[in-house]
Amino acid sequence: MALRKDYTRPLDLKHGRVDMNHGAGGRASAQLIEALFARAFDNPALREGNDGAVLPAPPAGHRLVLATDAHVISPLFFPGGDIGALSVHGTVNDVAMMGAQPLYLSASFILEEGLPLADLKRIVDSMAAAAREAGVAIVTGDTKVVEQGHGDGVFINTTGAGWLPPGRRLGGDLARPGDVVLVSGPIGDHGVAVLSKRESLEFETEIVSDSAALNGLTAAMLAAVPEGSVRVLRDPTRGGLATTLNEITRQSGTGITLDEAKIPVRAQVEAACELLGLDPLYVACEGRLVAICAPDVADPLLAAMQAHPLGQQAARIGLVTDDPHRFVQMATRFGGRRVVDWLSGEQLPRIC
Amino acid sequence: MALRKDYTRPLDLKHGRVDMNHGAGGRASAQLIEALFARAFDNPALREGNDGAVLPAPPAGHRLVLATDAHVISPLFFPGGDIGALSVHGTVNDVAMMGAQPLYLSASFILEEGLPLADLKRIVDSMAAAAREAGVAIVTGDTKVVEQGHGDGVFINTTGAGWLPPGRRLGGDLARPGDVVLVSGPIGDHGVAVLSKRESLEFETEIVSDSAALNGLTAAMLAAVPEGSVRVLRDPTRGGLATTLNEITRQSGTGITLDEAKIPVRAQVEAACELLGLDPLYVACEGRLVAICAPDVADPLLAAMQAHPLGQQAARIGLVTDDPHRFVQMATRFGGRRVVDWLSGEQLPRIC
């Protein structure tokens, strides 16, 4: 006789595990949602308990920005973060890079049967803390469960919504020759932190992910200079700085020249990359941004970045050029010049 | 020597397979997005190619509705549908059930290494067709790849956004004693169609999923009766009609009595359920809705439903009652009465 679980008893968040019933839509699903998600994310829209969330009308003329990300990072917990916080940061940042203020997130979970509920609680609590810190509310969600061996612990999708003020437009197509390329801090920390944990590598100093919500930084930047003078904001996640810049030259029909000596990379990240055969230019960040701006605002914009806790090590790293080949090129520290191409193989799988 | 794939050659959508590079954010990712997703979903917001989509401001006073769903259905293709169309219908319906007009979807994909690109193309084309038919645009997206054995073909998250007109409010908490319960058509088709395919069962007549976008039906319903007289709209997906009604009685603090003889169930669905040991009341629909309305509009609302192609078999199936126990009860065809409880075990895993 099969033991029938009793879903009227409290959820055992210490020793329990996710089972298929938690995804079946019945009493077990309701219990998981109430005891875990609703409690951690609590807000008026979510509390309504309907199929979707009703949110306030925007200020007049404000447009809607939507961005979405699936998070499949492995391992789930890494130095400086976890999949929960990352799933908030990743999507908040995508909305912020459009120049909008992120306000609302949806969150959907694909859980693997057997996942310890204690791990799930830790992840959900981390998401809730990250959302509070970023000033966004998780207003609607969904939970599915797949059989053991058909998932990998937990995958989290978040979709973010925010309002874009009238007259503001940022986008990769707006870069133009003469514009200045800035980066908000050292690159590659996130990718190296995740890889070192995954491969159980030990470095003398622990490298910690840079995972962070950048909406405070972008708001400060956009307030510091005239509307229109910031052309592009983008966070160099998968594929790293090199790929992000190649996307921008492709969108805008320009080239970019970088000055290698100016690109901030922590010494221990550089050392780890050397050991691992990685190029930091291609390693993902989750709390850095690239800004491309009109030359006359580069100094005040850089100053605004450096005045913010998440931009203290911001630097001017290159220039947008007139280049029909749309190449990203780099003046190396040794006085040479090389093309920084798209990532064409696999740098780091499941890094976000 | 490992063969290095050439991602500058066209994507082989006939014989190719998803590999880890398609999720790494470099050239292979860009190729997959351009050759497959961008082409199928093409629209101005998506074409911008930025981290998120910028969408128009709503009409004055309109509120934002957001809803999200992860889709993990197995098998990916089933009679009457596939995971692609389903992922559009599921989320469009959640937005529509709030009384809003769904307009925009985000789509994010978690692909398993080895998935045939031909299957992915079929799914993406089906999504695109479903979105066109429902009048929504897929405006932003994301793609991740996980190693073979860590996913299951493809999981799709969609998040929907739409605008809710001023003064409109629907919700499970608004049901009140005396209100009438309507259903838009026969229940259980979707669940039985999926299960029959999964278990390779053959019935005399093929049972086809009811998967459909209901936003046209809800718009027609809401236009037919005075604002406020429709209290609740909800689609009985996972957990079926029984679970949906229990959610509503819990939210509103009421009871519901159903008349079993009035609940439309196709004869072949009933026969299949009997064979499989399932109760149709708990079997998921993906193209049906439950409406709870004021008694004086029940007739015109039912007429509006029956006049719509997706509501031709709509029926009045029960009444909201004053019941402190918040029970859903049913007068059976044999003159008895039984409590229709929450689904407490697992009816059908991975049905959506």
Side-chain angles (χ1 to χ4, degrees), chain A residues 111-183:
Chain A
L111 309 176
E112 187 188 13
E113 184 186 17
L115 176 74
L117 287 173
D119 286 358
L120 183 58
K121 178 166 169 36
R122 195 175 147 198
I123 289 164
V124 166
D125 287 345
S126 171
M127 277 185 89
R132 270 193 304 274
E133 206 179 330
V136 297
I138 298 171
V139 294
T140 190
D142 185 43
T143 310
K144 295 287 179 353
V145 180
V146 295
E147 306 85 348
Q148 209 143 28
H150 294 271
D152 199 0
V154 52
F155 301 143
I156 304 177
N157 175 280
T158 50
T159 303
W163 303 126
L164 185 68
R168 179 170 297 166
R169 179 160 137 63
L170 290 98
D173 57 316
L174 297 181
R176 60 188 82 163
D179 284 354
V180 174
V181 182
L182 309 173
V183 68

Side-chain angles (χ1 to χ4, degrees), chain A residues 2-68:
Chain A
L3 269 177
R4 193 180 176 118
K5 288 205 182 161
D6 181 359
Y7 297 104
T8 58
R9 292 175 58 183
L11 201 64
D12 183 356
L13 289 171
K14 268 195 179 147
H15 307 290
R17 286 178 182 272
V18 169
D19 65 48
M20 293 306 292
N21 287 336
H22 288 123
R27 205 185 280 280
S29 298
Q31 188 183 43
L32 184 69
I33 291 166
E34 276 164 36
L36 194 58
F37 299 113
R39 201 165 294 177
F41 300 152
D42 185 53
N43 59 66
L46 192 64
R47 222 173 292 144
E48 295 273 331
N50 290 314
D51 283 339
V54 177
L55 304 161
H62 280 56
R63 289 155 294 162
L64 173 65
V65 168
L66 279 185
T68 194

Side-chain angles (χ1 to χ4, degrees), chain A residues 4 7 17 25 32 39 52 61 81 85 96 105 111 116 118 124 134 165-166 195 207 223 237 256 273 296 301 326 341:
Chain A
R4 193 180 176 118
Y7 297 104
R17 286 178 182 272
L32 184 69
R39 201 165 294 177
L105 289 184
L111 309 176
V124 166
L195 193 67
I207 298 165
T237 56
I256 285 176
C273 280
D296 56 316
L301 189 62
R326 309 181 182 196
D341 202 359

Side-chain angles (χ1 to χ4, degrees), chain B residues 10-69:
Chain B
L11 199 66
D12 184 354
L13 289 170
K14 268 197 180 146
H15 307 291
R17 287 179 182 271
V18 169
D19 65 48
M20 292 306 292
N21 287 336
H22 288 123
R27 206 184 279 280
S29 298
Q31 188 183 44
L32 184 69
I33 291 166
E34 277 164 36
L36 194 57
F37 298 113
R39 199 164 295 178
F41 300 151
D42 186 52
N43 59 67
L46 191 65
R47 222 173 292 144
E48 295 274 332
N50 289 315
D51 284 338
V54 176
L55 305 162
H62 280 56
R63 289 155 294 163
L64 173 65
V65 168
L66 279 185
T68 194
D69 260 324

